[in-house]
Amino acid sequence: MTRIMIIVGSTRPGRVGLSVAEWVRDRMHETLEQDATAEAPAASLDFVDLAELNLPLLDEPHHPAKKQYTKPHTVAWSERVSAADAVVLVSPEYNHSYAPSLKNAIDFLFTEWAHKPVGIVSYGGGSSGTRGAAALAPVLGSVGMVKVAANPEIGMIGSKMVDGVFQGDEKLAGTVAAMTRMLVQTAEALRPLRG
Ligand SMILES: Cc1cc2nc3c(=O)[nH]c(=O)nc-3n(C[C@H](O)[C@H](O)[C@H](O)COP(=O)(O)O)c2cc1C
């Protein structure tokens, strides 16, 4: 079975990212249930809130490619990411880039990310977080991830929150469904490389 990890990229108090990610998770779940067959059961979702994971700033002495981890939080993060076949990053735009919490979580590991398809759900103001997503792309490439083509983008995020809950629409749900299907297909195609 394919396992997809969803990572909530923002950690600050008052963030909208958690609600956006929950909405994305629920739409992905619907698509996976719709597509499930007796031979190919629905992919499972692992929801990672970086605020809850609470990784410190990178505190390992060795390059992560060596996998000589010295801290229990790194070992746990390594095992959790290793178990995933594909990843979704729910990524806010901060100062024309992406969140430092996301960069830190990526930098902790290296080979664990390789040969995994990744989808970016970006959000922000007028630019829909696309400058943040563009800044993220080469980082993902450097750790061997493969970005899928569907890009759910959410503009004017503040106007889409009602009582702290993100209000997505049908168009966005369609792009999330397309991203979900691309992640499953690409995860299966890349499985031999992941070993
Ligand atoms: C430090 C900071 C920098 C921001 N920079 C941008 C930006 O460059 N472009 C943009 O469209 N929105 C920017 N915003 C607005 C955010 O997209 C918006 O506040 C969003 O809710 C942030 O996601 P979060 O609530 O999950 O942290 C910025 C917000 C913060 C807190």
Side-chain angles (χ1 to χ4, degrees):
M1 187 202 286
T2 308
R3 290 154 301 190
I4 306 176
M5 173 179 272
I6 301 169
I7 301 180
V8 185
S10 66
T11 56
R12 67 181 186 92
R15 65 193 166 144
V16 305
L18 180 59
S19 181
V20 172
E22 286 170 344
W23 187 90
V24 168
R25 177 197 59 198
D26 293 349
R27 301 293 80 71
M28 290 181 69
H29 183 71
E30 285 166 7
T31 300
L32 293 168
E33 286 297 322
Q34 236 175 54
D35 292 356
T37 62
E39 302 76 47
S44 66
L45 298 175
D46 180 22
F47 191 81
V48 179
D49 179 358
L50 291 183
E52 200 180 295
L53 193 69
N54 203 20
L55 286 169
L57 271 181
L58 181 57
D59 60 353
E60 287 288 347
H62 309 294
H63 190 288
K66 294 184 175 162
K67 278 193 155 179
Q68 292 170 0
Y69 302 134
T70 63
K71 303 280 171 26
H73 54 253
T74 316
V75 174
W77 183 224
S78 168
E79 287 172 357
R80 196 162 174 188
V81 173
S82 294
D85 297 300
V87 178
V88 171
L89 303 174
V90 180
S91 176
E93 179 164 306
Y94 291 167
N95 297 323
H96 295 197
S97 189
Y98 57 99
S101 39
L102 199 46
K103 182 71 161 61
N104 189 53
I106 294 167
D107 289 347
F108 255 99
L109 309 176
F110 190 68
T111 56
E112 292 87 340
W113 301 112
H115 309 305
K116 292 182 182 176
V118 56
I120 304 173
V121 178
S122 69
Y123 61 94
S127 75
S128 306
T130 52
R131 293 170 296 207
L136 188 48
V139 175
L140 303 177
S142 82
V143 294
M145 300 189 95
V146 178
K147 204 177 87 56
V148 298
N151 289 316
E153 295 165 352
I154 308 163
M156 310 314 288
I157 187 69
S159 69
K160 292 173 182 156
M161 303 298 298
V162 175
D163 296 332
V165 179
F166 174 64
Q167 311 291 314
D169 59 20
E170 281 303 307
K171 186 166 177 276
L172 182 65
T175 316
V176 170
M179 176 190 73
T180 305
R181 292 185 172 117
M182 287 179 192
L183 287 168
V184 171
Q185 280 178 347
T186 312
E188 288 315 308
L190 294 177
R191 196 178 284 285
L193 293 179
R194 289 196 300 281

